[in-house]
Amino acid sequence: MNSEKENFQEKKYIKKSFIYRLSQFVGFLLGARFFVAALLTFALYVSTFFLFNQDESFRKFVFDFKVHGIIFCTVLTILAGGIINQFYDFEKDHIVKPFRTRIQSFIKQKYFLYAYLVLSVISLSVAWMISHKVFVFFIVYQFFMWFYSHKLSRILILNNLTFVSLTLYPFFGMMVYYETFSKKVLLMAVFLFLVLLCIDIVKDTLTKSVDKAFGYTTIPNYFDSKTVNGIIVSLLITTMIVSMKLILRTGISGFMAYYFAVGLFVFILCIYLIMNHFRKNKFLTINILRFWIFLGIISMLLSGLEGKL
């Protein structure tokens, strides 16, 4: 009887231990924003091969270990940046993202900091082995990742501009590496910058009271709602103008041409949703724009494959 009871308790402990470890693992992935890093990695590979890399064959690209090393360093830096950002935003996230914070609470904050240091050191070590210029590139990237979380995320306008710039920083690095400077690449960078900026400002409208309580000066809690909506709509209209320039002036074709053309109607829909002052419309706008960015990556992949075949 005692033996059966002990076996039952042991199985219960193992099950509890497994669930706890699984919760820790999921908490770490959420804290490090692993899924964002995975999407950015996919976007980097697609844009590097089909947009920035104009001359190399696929075989040469596959065996270009310098490029893979740079992307590897980028992924580690993004993971480290996600960890340090959640460390500084921990109290705010308790209110804004209670479920994620609950999952992350299975891991002590000191372990997140250890992970941040390990990821940063590995990234910089690999960057140093690639070249001194790459090392400097990632030193700057990591510094601004930390400085954004520590200070810039609380400063009006700078918080949005810095966040979007840091998101695009690795793509800028690849553009410099391949020396791919053209009107098409510049306009596509502006397009992506504007869409990400719209997402970030709309996201701030959903958390403006919490941001204000924790000392984050954002556009929605500094200006009135009418002005904020005007800023977002202006950005969306500017994005539409950039889309039309891409279609008419750069000779863009294939899937990407359809993407930017259909995008005009997507942005009109987003303008309509923003002009209707409902909270659920803001959620819908964010998800539409995020999905549209993902669809842009897929369109670039399909357009690139169409051009290579």
Side-chain angles (χ1 to χ4, degrees):
M1 188 70 178
N2 287 335
S3 178
E4 289 179 3
K5 188 176 181 181
E6 285 174 2
N7 287 335
F8 176 76
Q9 288 177 339
E10 186 179 352
K11 288 179 182 178
K12 189 177 179 181
Y13 173 78
I14 291 171
K15 184 179 179 181
K16 184 178 179 181
S17 178
F18 172 75
I19 294 171
Y20 182 77
R21 295 300 178 191
L22 181 63
S23 300
Q24 284 185 314
F25 179 67
V26 173
F28 176 76
L29 293 181
L30 291 173
R33 297 179 183 173
F34 174 81
F35 303 104
V36 174
L39 180 60
L40 278 172
T41 304
F42 176 58
L44 268 172
Y45 270 110
V46 171
S47 60
T48 298
F49 184 65
F50 293 114
L51 184 62
F52 304 132
N53 175 18
Q54 301 292 327
D55 303 316
E56 284 185 355
S57 65
F58 181 71
R59 179 181 174 81
K60 191 174 180 183
F61 175 74
V62 168
F63 291 100
D64 190 344
F65 295 109
K66 190 173 182 179
V67 170
H68 297 306
I70 292 171
I71 294 177
F72 176 71
C73 292
T74 300
V75 174
L76 294 187
T77 301
I78 291 168
L79 292 172
I83 289 171
I84 201 64
N85 186 251
Q86 73 85 30
F87 177 79
Y88 280 103
D89 288 350
F90 188 71
E91 291 183 351
K92 173 187 163 184
D93 287 345
H94 262 295
I95 300 171
V96 179
K97 302 166 184 174
F99 175 74
R100 196 178 84 174
T101 308
R102 174 61 182 161
I103 296 294
Q104 288 172 206
S105 66
F106 284 96
I107 304 176
K108 293 180 181 179
Q109 286 296 296
K110 67 176 183 179
Y111 294 120
F112 275 115
L113 287 178
Y114 292 155
Y116 166 74
L117 291 172
V118 169
L119 290 171
S120 298
V121 169
I122 293 173
S123 174
L124 292 176
S125 299
V126 173
W128 179 266
M129 288 188 285
I130 295 170
S131 78
H132 294 169
K133 288 182 180 179
V134 174
F135 177 77
V136 172
F137 178 85
F138 281 102
I139 278 281
V140 172
Y141 193 22
Q142 290 192 13
F143 170 76
F144 277 102
M145 280 278 199
W146 166 80
F147 195 50
Y148 165 78
S149 301
H150 177 63
K151 185 67 71 176
L152 297 180
S153 61
R154 298 174 182 269
I155 301 174
L156 179 67
I157 298 176
L158 271 179
N159 44 22
N160 301 113
L161 294 178
T162 307
F163 175 79
V164 176
S165 298
L166 287 172
T167 304
L168 295 179
Y169 187 80
F171 298 92
F172 172 75
M174 283 301 180
M175 185 175 71
V176 173
Y177 176 75
Y178 281 104
E179 297 181 353
T180 311
F181 302 100
S182 66
K183 187 175 181 179
K184 182 175 78 172
V185 172
L186 176 63
L187 285 173
M188 288 178 74
V190 172
F191 171 87
L192 187 55
F193 183 90
L194 290 170
V195 175
L196 289 170
L197 189 58
C198 285
I199 292 172
D200 203 42
I201 295 173
V202 175
K203 182 164 60 69
D204 286 341
T205 64
L206 300 173
T207 60
K208 68 177 188 176
S209 56
V210 178
D211 286 332
K212 195 169 186 177
F214 285 97
Y216 293 81
T217 309
T218 62
I219 288 174
N221 67 36
Y222 187 83
F223 298 102
D224 59 75
S225 296
K226 188 175 180 181
T227 304
V228 174
N229 287 342
I231 291 170
I232 297 168
V233 169
S234 298
L235 288 171
L236 288 169
I237 291 172
T238 307
T239 309
M240 291 172 67
I241 294 170
V242 173
S243 296
M244 287 188 285
K245 281 188 173 293
L246 274 162
I247 297 167
L248 300 174
R249 299 288 181 87
T250 64
I252 201 165
S253 59
F255 288 97
M256 289 304 294
Y258 289 116
Y259 171 78
F260 287 113
V262 175
L264 297 174
F265 299 98
V266 172
F267 297 130
I268 289 171
L269 172 62
C270 289
I271 290 171
Y272 171 77
L273 291 171
I274 291 296
M275 296 302 290
N276 289 273
H277 307 280
F278 294 109
R279 187 177 175 85
K280 65 179 181 180
N281 286 353
K282 303 290 175 62
F283 277 112
L284 187 57
T285 302
I286 290 171
N287 289 324
I288 288 172
L289 292 176
R290 283 175 174 168
F291 177 72
W292 198 245
I293 289 175
F294 175 72
L295 208 58
I297 300 168
I298 300 300
S299 298
M300 187 184 297
L301 174 63
L302 294 174
S303 188
L305 289 172
E306 183 183 42
K308 296 283 184 181
L309 295 176

